[in-house]
Amino acid sequence: MANNDIQLRYGIVGGTFLSTIFNISLHDVVFTVVMAVIGAVVSFFVSYVLRKLFSDSNSSKNKS
């Protein structure tokens, strides 16, 4: 019985994996990579600007 469950599980996982692989086009992969790069760059610049904004604010409070 346990052997049958393992075969069923591998069949479901393998079928899902193969159907997903064959339905993903190169266009989708390129689009995902470009969007990930844009998101990472925007996230970096927003955190950089916020760090500069709050560090300038904290240094001016410490001086007065």
Side-chain angles (χ1 to χ4, degrees):
M1 186 71 176
N3 192 20
N4 196 12
D5 283 344
I6 292 173
Q7 289 177 346
L8 180 64
R9 184 175 297 154
Y10 283 150
I12 291 172
V13 170
T16 303
F17 178 71
L18 288 176
S19 67
T20 303
I21 290 296
F22 290 128
N23 286 323
I24 296 176
S25 67
L26 182 63
H27 177 335
D28 293 334
V29 173
V30 170
F31 179 76
T32 302
V33 168
V34 169
M35 294 303 289
V37 168
I38 290 171
V41 169
V42 168
S43 175
F44 173 78
F45 280 115
V46 167
S47 63
Y48 179 78
V49 168
L50 287 174
R51 188 179 314 131
K52 287 292 185 181
L53 185 70
F54 284 112
S55 69
D56 290 344
S57 161
N58 287 339
S59 64
S60 66
K61 286 180 184 178
N62 292 336
K63 290 181 181 177
S64 33

